[in-house]
Amino acid sequence: MKKIFHILSLLLISIVTGYAQWVWQNPLPQGNSLNSVQYINDNLVWSGGIGGTLIKSIDGGNNWEVILLPEKLTVYDLFFINEQKGWATTGADNGTYKIFLTTNGGSSWAVQTDTIVSCRPIVFADEFRGWTGDWGNIWATTDGGENWFLQYDGSTNKFNSIFLIDDQHLIVSMEALRGGPLIKTANGGKDWIIDSTITWVQDVHFLDTLVGWAVGYSNIGKTTDGGATWQIQYNILDENWIDIYMHDSNRGWAVSTDGKIVSTTNGGISWTQQKNPAYSSLGSITFKNSSEGIITGFLGTILKTTNGGDEWIDMAKAVTKESLEGIYFLNENVGWIAGWNGLIIKTTDGGNNWELLFSGVNSSLGDIYFTNEMLGWATGTNGTIIHSTDGGQNWKPQKSPVNIYLSDIEFRYYPVGWIIGSEVFSDGRLLKTTDGGNTWKEANTIFPQGANTIQFTSEVRGWIM
């Protein structure tokens, strides 16, 4: 289980039999951050993440089906013991934590237990014996998760991962600010000991009881004596290595929350950086052989390789991964969206397809407005006002009397228009034009504590929030 964060991307709302249903339009297959990924066999892959999201591939990760749990809880981790039976640990900020079980290959999921507090990583040695961890506690089951009993309660940190070497040897890593020590057992959990010889670990991967690797804050390390001693193999200051997968004694990969991917072909003596085409935070990595692997992460990131990571392909189809701020639709088909770093995208088919336009600015854009299919404006940071006369294909700047973040624009009564904006902890400022934006003048009124949104119902009557 790897913890990452989430920003909402672009959704489409449609009314079906009286109920509002939202469908992902960008990115696809969905945009919730993914925390865990597992190959079940050569073709079957599962991943889980925020909002009760599970995604499933039956062709080795080329295509994905989105499956939602009955409750919109974050999926921290999942584990399948075979193609039919699997578990998902879930939770929410309100203190709700549940373990879901499927026995039909994910067609349906049901709550198996909600009695364990904040259960996160989960592993099973067979259909009956399994372990999960919460805030300082390690729980075990011998009946497939129907009942859990406490095995360890000696830590104050949450647990980040549980690695199963065999049914007797398990290693648990803590989720601390910069990683933590390891907790180990050599007798199936009857006895657990804290191993403080290493204190920066987020995740481990062992080939046997002696040889293993650890990743965490700044470091990637290796042990050949079961963790009695560790050798630092790779160090990048402040890099948060979150997950590692070793295929054998030579071939392995590690990923970080900063979007780094590194690989080794000599057991970690040297590590080589690989290109992340999604440029996004990464959370979990797995391989089915020395060539084919999958990485999941932030904003629904899915990366796949078929050549050991020499090339990673972004399987999450997206017109953009910039944050989206302003949206305007003329009708059910034609619309525009503005966002960070000068982003403007346009659709003419209700969002089924989006075209990336060139705004000509690097400012983050907060809002966009069109009076018809040709005339439009967008506003943003540093007093940015840009104007298009050809549906957004080309943009020209208009002069602003202020140098602040302009967050909202209203042009319902063209050529009369208004723009509102403010900086953090500053007064709101109002701009007005009566000539379609050729000239903008600042109103005398100042809005204490800032202002973000404006709307007019006539040329003289309006509201600011």
Side-chain angles (χ1 to χ4, degrees), residues 202-357:
Q202 293 278 8
D203 189 47
V204 299
H205 193 118
F206 275 71
L207 300 181
D208 52 41
T209 57
L210 297 177
V211 180
W213 287 260
V215 295
Y217 181 71
S218 299
N219 298 315
I220 300 176
K222 181 182 180 180
T223 182
T224 57
D225 54 16
T229 59
W230 290 87
Q231 175 191 0
I232 302 300
Q233 291 187 319
Y234 193 63
N235 175 274
I236 298 180
L237 187 62
D238 294 331
E239 191 74 29
N240 186 33
W241 300 104
I242 191 71
D243 197 19
I244 185 169
Y245 185 92
M246 297 298 298
H247 175 68
D248 53 33
S249 59
N250 291 312
R251 200 78 172 98
W253 300 261
V255 296
S256 80
T257 56
D258 292 327
K260 297 283 195 315
I261 309 170
V262 292
S263 70
T264 181
T265 58
N266 54 20
I269 296 174
S270 60
W271 293 84
T272 303
Q273 189 164 326
Q274 297 180 332
K275 184 178 179 180
N276 173 4
Y279 303 102
S280 59
S281 177
L282 306 175
S284 190
I285 183 170
T286 187
F287 273 74
K288 73 176 182 182
N289 53 44
S290 61
S291 298
E292 296 187 51
I294 293 175
I295 297 172
T296 59
F298 186 60
L299 284 179
T301 294
I302 307 170
L303 307 180
K304 181 181 178 181
T305 183
T306 57
N307 55 15
D310 292 339
E311 180 186 18
W312 288 92
I313 300 171
D314 190 351
M315 307 303 293
K317 302 173 180 64
V319 66
T320 181
K321 289 193 176 180
E322 295 285 359
S323 288
L324 309 176
E325 297 291 338
I327 184 170
Y328 189 83
F329 267 73
L330 277 176
N331 51 51
E332 65 182 24
N333 292 314
V334 181
W336 298 260
I337 290 175
W340 288 12
N341 296 313
L343 173 76
I344 297 178
I345 57 177
K346 178 182 179 180
T347 181
T348 57
D349 59 6
N352 293 319
N353 295 281
W354 291 90
E355 177 187 3
L356 187 63
L357 304 178

Side-chain angles (χ1 to χ4, degrees), residues 87 195 202 242 295 305 364 367 373 391 456:
W87 297 261
D195 181 1
Q202 293 278 8
I242 191 71
I295 297 172
T305 183
S364 291
D367 196 26
E373 292 198 21
F456 274 74

Side-chain angles (χ1 to χ4, degrees), residues 36-62:
S36 180
V37 62
Q38 182 190 4
Y39 274 104
I40 315 305
N41 56 40
D42 285 350
N43 295 311
L44 181 59
V45 192
W46 280 89
S47 182
I50 288 174
T53 301
L54 294 170
I55 61 171
K56 171 186 176 182
S57 175
I58 59 174
D59 59 6
N62 295 318

